[in-house]
Amino acid sequence: MADGGGAGGGAQRTSTLQAMKGAGEKIAVLTCYDYPTAVWQEEAGVDVIFVADSVGTNILGYEDEREVTMADMIHHLKAVRRGVKHTYLLADMPFGSCDTPDAAVENALRFVDLGADAVKLEGYKVEAFEALAARGIDTWAHLGLNPQIHDGRRLKAKTATTAVRLVKRAQALQQAGAGVLVLELIPEEVGDLVTRRLTIPTIGIAAGRLTDGQVLVVADVLGMGDREFRHVARYSEFSTAGREAMRRYVADVRVGRFPGERQVRHLSARELAVLEAEEVRASP
Ligand code: KIV
C-alpha cells in the first residue's frame, strides 16, 4: 500500500487508520463540502474529513451523483482544504474520472496536488488501484452499494453467494493497494465477515455495527434535509432551525424590526448638525 502524502498530498497517513484497526479503535468519518463545516469537523475530532460526491445531491441540487464533475469536486475540495489543518482529508473520484488506469492517476493527482491525503474509487477497479499504488497515491475502495454504478438503494450481498463474492473482491482490492474499504448497504453479518478477513480498515455506511469505523453524510447527521434513512441518526435539526430563522428574518424586515438599534451606525452629533444645516441651505 502507498504511504500517504508520498505523491504530494496532505500530511496525514493511511497507516494511522490501519494502526487504529490494529488497536481496536473505531474510526469516525463524515462527509464535508465546505469551509465552515470543515472547521467544525476538525474541532469535533472527526478522524477523516471526506469530500464526497454526495455533494451533488446534498448541496448542488443534482438528481444523481453521476452528474458530479471533476470541476465540482475541485471547487469543494479547495474550500474544505482551507478549513482542515491537520485532519486526514479524503476526496471522492467522481463518475467517469477513473474509466482507465491512466485517467484515474491523472485525476487523482489533481486532488493530491490540492492537498487530499487519499482518494476513494467506487467499484471493482483492480487495475486503477494498482496504477495509483504504483504512483504512491493512497486509495480507499468502496463496495456494496455503489451509487455511481447501481440504480436505486437496494441491499447488496444479501445471499451467501453474493457475500462470498464481496469478500473476494474486497481481498483483491486490498491486494491491489487499497488502504481502506468503504462498505455500503450490506447486512451486518457481511460487514463483520469482510472486516475480519481484511487487514485494512473497513468503514461502514448502512453496513451494521461491526466494521472498523463508520461514515455518514454530514447533511443527514445535522438534519439539513428532509431525507429519512434507516441507517442515519439525526444529531441535530438544522433544517427546522434554519427555516425558522429565515422566516423570522423575513417577518422582521417586513415590519421594520430589523435592523434594530444594535445593528445601525450613527453620525456624530457634530456631523449631524453640519448635515442638517446643509439640508436647510439646499432646500428650496
Ligand atoms: O458520496 C458519499 O457520500 C459516499 C458515502 C460512502 C459516504 O461515498
Side-chain angles (χ1 to χ4, degrees):
M1 189 206 66
D3 207 5
Q12 302 305 320
R13 292 174 183 273
T14 302
S15 53
T16 307
L17 304 174
Q18 293 165 342
M20 287 175 79
K21 174 175 179 128
E25 284 173 44
K26 291 280 189 183
I27 302 165
V29 184
L30 271 180
T31 70
C32 186
Y33 317 115
D34 58 58
Y35 170 85
T37 314
V39 172
W40 298 346
Q41 290 194 8
E42 191 154 83
E43 279 172 17
V46 170
D47 295 306
V48 177
I49 297 180
F50 174 29
V51 185
D53 68 352
S54 48
V55 68
T57 48
N58 285 280
I59 301 296
L60 299 176
Y62 295 161
E63 289 288 316
D64 195 298
E65 277 89 350
R66 283 172 276 217
E67 294 173 55
V68 176
T69 63
M70 279 297 292
D72 290 331
M73 292 302 300
I74 285 170
H75 181 74
H76 289 272
L77 174 59
K78 283 178 168 174
V80 172
R81 180 73 267 177
R82 290 181 203 112
V84 175
K85 292 200 172 52
H86 51 75
T87 306
Y88 187 109
L89 180 58
L90 174 68
D92 221 357
M93 302 297 294
F95 181 68
S97 65
C98 301
D99 287 350
T100 65
D102 284 349
V105 169
E106 185 183 326
N107 287 317
L109 282 173
R110 294 171 76 188
F111 289 166
V112 168
D113 287 345
L114 292 170
D117 292 301
V119 298
K120 178 174 81 57
L121 285 69
E122 283 191 21
Y124 189 56
K125 300 187 172 77
V126 173
E127 288 175 5
F129 279 95
E130 286 169 347
L132 290 160
R135 294 297 296 268
I137 300 169
D138 274 18
T139 52
W140 288 38
H142 181 169
L143 294 176
L145 179 76
N146 286 142
Q148 289 178 16
I149 298 166
H150 303 124
D151 291 319
R153 287 192 57 82
R154 276 181 296 280
L155 187 68
K156 301 298 172 194
K158 61 183 179 193
T159 64
T161 308
T162 51
V164 168
R165 189 169 70 205
L166 179 63
V167 172
K168 289 197 171 132
R169 289 187 161 197
Q171 287 171 323
L173 291 176
Q174 173 178 275
Q175 180 68 27
V180 179
L181 171 66
V182 171
L183 291 167
E184 181 164 1
L185 198 50
I186 59 171
E188 182 170 75
E189 295 75 11
V190 182
D192 179 36
L193 179 63
V194 178
T195 299
R196 288 188 285 105
R197 291 286 174 86
L198 296 188
T199 56
I200 61 173
T202 58
I203 306 294
I205 176 163
R209 291 161 288 189
L210 304 171
T211 51
D212 297 307
Q214 297 289 332
V215 57
L216 280 178
V217 169
V218 69
D220 296 334
V221 170
L222 295 180
M224 285 170 70
D226 301 322
R227 313 188 317 167
E228 296 283 349
F229 293 118
R230 175 165 169 179
H231 69 272
V232 168
R234 281 167 86 102
Y235 286 84
S236 184
E237 290 299 335
F238 261 42
S239 73
T240 309
R243 283 179 166 122
E244 173 61 10
M246 289 173 209
R247 194 195 59 70
R248 284 175 42 217
Y249 165 74
V250 171
D252 282 358
V253 169
R254 296 246 201 280
V255 301
R257 202 165 34 226
F258 177 84
E261 178 59 28
R262 264 181 70 103
Q263 284 93 25
V264 301
R265 289 175 173 78
H266 292 288
L267 274 177
S268 66
R270 187 169 162 273
E271 291 302 323
L272 184 59
V274 174
L275 186 64
E276 282 171 352
E278 173 63 28
E279 213 178 357
V280 170
R281 248 199 316 280
S283 62

